[in-house]
Amino acid sequence: MDELSALPPEGPRKDPRRIRTISVNSMRSVQASAVARSHIDYEKPEILAPTPRQPITGSRHLIEHGAQWLNTVSHSPESSRPVSPTSPHRRSSTLSGLSVRFPTSMSSLHAAVDAAVGPADKEAEHAMAKRWIRWMHKRGMKAWVIPCSLLASACIKFCVGLGSYSGKGTPPIFGDYEAQRHWMELTIHMPIRRWYTYDLQYWGLDYPPLTAYVSWLCGIVAHRLEPSWVALDKSRGIETEASKVFMRLTVVLLDAVIYVPALVMFTRIWEPSRSKRTQNLALATLLFQPALLLIDFGHFQYNSVMLGFTLFAINAFALEQDLFGAFCFVLSLGFKQMALYYAPAIGGYLLAKCIYLGSVNGGKLFLRLAFITSLTFLVLFIPFLPPFAPLSAIYDPISRIFPFGRGLFEDKVANFWCASNVVFKWKNWASSTFLIKLSAALTALGFLPSVIVFCRVAWQTRLFDGQKPSLHTPILPLLPYALLSCSMSFFLFSFQVHEKTILLPMLPVTLLLSHAPLDSTIFGWGVLANNVAVFSMWPLLKRDGLGVPYIALTILWNRFLGYNPLRLPSRSFIQLLSIAAYAAAFGLHVLEFLITPPARYPDLFAVLNVLISTPIFVLLWLWSIKCGVEASWAIVGLGSTTSRPNRTSVASDDEKTAVHSRPVSLGVAQGRRRVPFGTENDSKTDET
């Protein structure tokens, strides 16, 4: 309704009313009656009952804070006497020299509401997760937040699993779904020594032994339920409804056993001082990450198992359980070799921890770590070592795990090699051996800054004989940024990269994002990275028939977080970069929908996708290095003096780099915490 609708009809009024003088406090009732008066038929006089003071639907905040909305304070005690209807004419009432105007239509009333609601309230209004968690806490159901989040996450995973998958109905090779099923068939029918040599042309096993052992266990269960699902050779390409349900259940159950508990532990261990609401919000952010949901529960893989073991290792390091952390990370490596993307960061952290503890205690820790790591690898590979097999048998899994003969990259992946290959054909210019060495050198240069930062901080904060270590190692805040920079370095520059390996950098960047304020730089980079990661996998998802989940999960997650690039710091680099990236991605989708690529360039849109995504990933890699360096400055300063912080938090701010200041908590940017929702003084004790 516009303002003209609130004006009286032309001509003399037939039912003139006496205008009452009211106090400022009673103006709340006038707001409620203003809307009712706009519907009065002025041609037919009628008797109106006094209007009690009741809040207008949708304007509760305005009514409760009427004095602030009017930019005045109360000058008289609140009257309990109801106010009679007044004229709908726009007029002002002067009281103690103060002129007050009343809204005369719903549009002007909504404008007043928007003016009264602050920016923080508007952010909370758009964040579905925050609003829901606040609603649960206010109604005494905070104990049900985590169970409901886990249940909703499981429902979404099952819904995604109802769709298509990799290689569906595409004989003779099919896709990743058939590969995982075939490995179950292979491991229960073949002796261990033949696992890595049997029929390599049809999805030969090329993952480390822990994946083979898990496939063996799943194969035993499948064989007991229905032997035809895993019959040797005869079951190839089987796509019965029952077998698909079983395969989907294996992914969901392994995810629930390993990855989900690791997420819950992370939100409790790394941010113990934050409120329960903030911890629950971080958990919800991590549970609904779209990239992992699309690949594991849509495309079909078990990446959450590898990521879960890595996350258990990170949690163990935060608890000063370095030996258990090393054990968990070896399990991650033993499940998928892609966990090597994290190896420089994990190894650099443990080496720096040994330096920090000093020559005696550090040396002891180094020997223990070497023993645990070697023993765990030995147990994983023992079926391929003497006396169970000849020494040469170890070559079979190693050659399959590191397939250097496959080429520099597969398909169209958004990394340095594929993007630069558009103008510079690497395979025509250099041999495969040279490209392997070049990619290894560039990858090492990419993660070297993180290792140097670790060692520098550890050396300058090292303990001398007789000193006791602090509660948390000073180098711990550097770990999330090191994981991000190292994994991005591998993704951009290493040999034989798949588009799905972008999931590894997305784990640390989402961990940082999970506790960041909505208007912080960390939040902007985190959401941009996740959205571009999903976009970079669009050619793969399109080929798998996952277009609807791609759109639905991306929109749901952004709406869930209350993300809007226009709310980022105005005219900041991250805001301009986000708007440009989203505009380019949306434009490419429109072109792909309207135009068929020419026969000469069938991969035109896939290449354009690479050219849009790769610069974002390069900038993300550089940003992670920058944040790691700034975090080290916050711990030890710019000089060479040795700092002895008594206690450090678990992550560092990307912008607050005061010399010798203590690093702030994970996801905190611009020197302030995420604003608690519900009450301003929401403390941890209120949530327990």
Side-chain angles (χ1 to χ4, degrees), residues 310 313-314 317 329 339-353 443-444 446-455 475-476 478-490 504 508:
T310 301
I314 297 172
F317 296 149
F329 185 65
L340 281 171
Y341 284 29
Y342 299 136
I346 300 294
Y349 170 80
L350 294 176
L351 177 62
K353 181 69 175 291
T443 304
F447 66 70
L448 188 60
S450 298
V451 178
I452 293 176
V453 166
F454 268 135
C455 295
I475 57 176
L476 186 62
L478 305 174
L479 184 56
Y481 296 112
L483 290 169
L484 176 56
S485 62
C486 291
S487 56
M488 279 306 307
S489 175
F490 271 88
L504 282 94

Side-chain angles (χ1 to χ4, degrees), residues 242-322:
S243 65
K244 288 190 287 187
V245 170
F246 170 78
M247 293 295 292
R248 293 294 193 186
L249 278 175
T250 60
V251 182
V252 174
L253 291 178
L254 288 172
D255 174 85
V257 170
I258 298 176
Y259 184 65
V260 172
L263 291 180
V264 177
M265 288 181 60
F266 170 81
T267 58
R268 275 27 182 190
I269 292 174
W270 280 74
E271 290 292 343
S273 61
R274 306 298 290 272
S275 68
K276 292 296 183 183
R277 294 183 185 181
T278 304
Q279 293 176 352
N280 293 338
L281 179 60
L283 177 61
T285 301
L286 296 167
L287 283 174
F288 296 99
Q289 183 196 21
L292 184 61
L293 293 177
L294 288 168
I295 294 301
D296 274 22
F297 305 96
H299 175 84
F300 197 92
Q301 281 194 338
Y302 296 92
N303 294 292
S304 60
V305 178
M306 172 196 62
L307 298 177
F309 282 132
T310 301
L311 197 50
F312 272 122
I314 297 172
N315 295 335
F317 296 149
L319 294 175
E320 302 296 323
Q321 301 294 327
D322 299 322

Side-chain angles (χ1 to χ4, degrees), residues 15 55 58 95 99 109 133 141 149 171 177 207 212 269 275 291 342 381 435 448 474 533 548 600 643 658 677:
D15 57 335
L95 182 63
S99 178
L109 183 60
I133 294 175
M141 296 185 290
S149 299
Y177 172 90
Y207 279 178
I269 292 174
S275 68
Y342 299 136
F381 283 90
L435 290 177
L448 188 60
V548 173
R600 185 179 178 183
S643 175
F677 39 92

